[in-house]
Amino acid sequence: MFNALEVLASGMAAARMRVNTLASNIANAETTKTPEGGPYRRRDVVQVAKDIPGSFSSALDRMTMKKPSIAAVTVDQSEPRKVFQPGHPDADPQGFVAYPNINVVTTMADLMSASRLYQANVTAIETARSMQNEAGRILTQA
Amino acid sequence: MKLLDNIFDRTVSGLSKSMDLTWRRNQAISSNIANAETPQYRAVEVTFGKELERAFGSGREVVSQTDSQHLDVGQNQTSRTVPDQSGATKPDGNNVDIDLQMGRLTQNSGDYMNAARLIRRQIGLIRNAIREGR
């Protein structure tokens, strides 16, 4: 019981992290100046599947379930997109302004998919709960 | 389960075995849903072996394999966690088909809850008998 919920809760946490990162990318798609200098750089999450912890779990549990987890958030190191905008406060001497390498349309699509994934995890938690409720009724309402 | 079997024949122990297995399957489906976007994650599924047949059967007709060279008659197969090959592998190496998993989630939880309801009904019958139908 706890393992399934733990795995699904990790799924929710990972999906939420993904949503936050994608939202930050969309919000900063046109940000040309950051405290670190230069334009905003795209963030990507690195998600891995971990074995569930040994205490409270059987070998069969560990074979059946893996726990998603965000291992790292990477910062895009690619060359920024250069747009010719002479007179822009952040323009270089040649008149080019560096913009983040972010495609708002694909990021938006990823965002929608991540939020659907979050909902899928919530649905699975609700399902596990109704299963447990039904099992509990054997005791209380037989 | 001996005592239960005497009271309920084998129905209740069969149904509780069925709940065990569907719960195990629910764990596999949950893991697949949680990892639907994890690169390199491979989906798993739980295949049902012959435990259910054994749990519901009278036990008399069970054929046992007396020699390892005999054909496997299937009575000793147990439920296992196996790779789920039903989804296509995406470029990131993940092969979870989330729509399929959501469908299975509903189907499987329905099976579990129906088994639980049937157990409840069986116990209700016994209770009814104890109360002499009143």
Side-chain angles (χ1 to χ4, degrees):
Chain A
M1 173 66 185
F2 292 107
N3 281 328
L5 290 186
E6 200 181 319
V7 165
L8 289 166
S10 308
M12 284 172 68
R16 179 187 289 274
M17 187 76 178
R18 201 176 274 269
V19 166
N20 286 344
T21 310
L22 292 166
S24 165
N25 288 345
I26 292 173
N28 288 293
E30 304 285 325
T31 301
T32 54
K33 193 183 255 171
T34 56
E36 308 90 65
Y40 174 85
R41 287 179 180 279
R42 193 183 72 233
R43 263 67 169 172
D44 290 300
V45 297
V46 180
Q47 191 172 327
V48 296
K50 283 188 175 167
D51 287 327
I52 52 173
S55 51
F56 302 119
S57 68
S58 68
L60 200 51
D61 283 344
R62 287 193 290 279
M63 208 186 291
T64 312
M65 288 181 288
K66 293 267 187 290
K67 194 173 149 176
S69 140
I70 301 294
V73 177
T74 59
V75 179
D76 172 41
Q77 295 301 334
S78 66
E79 198 57 28
R81 183 166 51 96
K82 293 282 178 67
V83 178
F84 188 59
Q85 275 182 321
H88 189 289
D90 295 325
D92 64 10
Q94 285 77 40
F96 285 95
V97 181
Y99 280 94
N101 261 328
I102 292 170
N103 182 334
V104 178
V105 178
T106 56
T107 311
M108 203 67 205
D110 288 347
L111 181 66
M112 284 159 70
S113 138
S115 83
R116 289 278 180 265
L117 185 63
Y118 185 87
Q119 289 171 351
N121 279 281
V122 173
T123 305
I125 286 183
E126 283 168 355
T127 303
R129 196 184 54 186
S130 16
M131 287 165 78
Q132 292 295 309
N133 281 345
E134 197 62 53
R137 262 183 228 135
I138 294 176
L139 280 180
T140 56
Q141 295 172 18
Chain B
M1 279 305 174
K2 255 283 165 2
L3 177 68
L4 278 184
D5 285 352
N6 287 337
I7 304 175
F8 298 110
D9 58 56
R10 286 177 171 251
T11 315
V12 168
S13 59
L15 287 168
S16 60
K17 188 77 208 172
S18 159
M19 285 176 75
D20 271 356
L21 294 178
T22 42
W23 178 253
R24 175 72 56 198
R25 184 174 271 178
N26 181 64
Q27 289 185 314
I29 298 168
S30 297
S31 174
N32 292 342
I33 291 171
N35 286 292
E37 295 281 339
T38 307
Q40 307 303 329
Y41 176 84
R42 309 298 293 175
V44 290
E45 64 180 330
V46 172
T47 58
F48 287 5
K50 298 279 177 182
E51 292 107 312
L52 273 184
E53 225 167 276
R54 270 205 305 273
F56 280 113
S58 73
R60 288 194 181 268
E61 70 272 24
V62 170
V63 184
S64 54
Q65 201 175 359
T66 51
D67 188 298
S68 61
Q69 289 189 321
H70 291 167
L71 276 179
D72 181 8
V73 287
Q75 298 289 353
N76 297 318
Q77 283 173 12
T78 51
S79 301
R80 282 185 304 167
T81 301
V82 296
D84 178 1
Q85 310 287 7
S86 49
T89 302
K90 286 165 263 180
D92 63 2
N94 179 302
N95 70 340
V96 177
D97 180 339
I98 185 78
D99 302 312
L100 183 81
Q101 298 296 335
M102 294 310 280
R104 281 189 189 165
L105 181 75
T106 308
Q107 165 83 53
N108 183 65
S109 65
D111 291 349
Y112 179 93
M113 291 192 277
N114 283 333
R117 289 183 192 120
L118 285 170
I119 290 180
R120 218 164 75 211
R121 182 57 57 89
Q122 285 283 326
I123 294 173
L125 288 175
I126 302 293
R127 173 183 298 232
N128 200 30
I130 293 171
R131 288 177 176 164
E132 298 177 339
R134 277 174 292 188

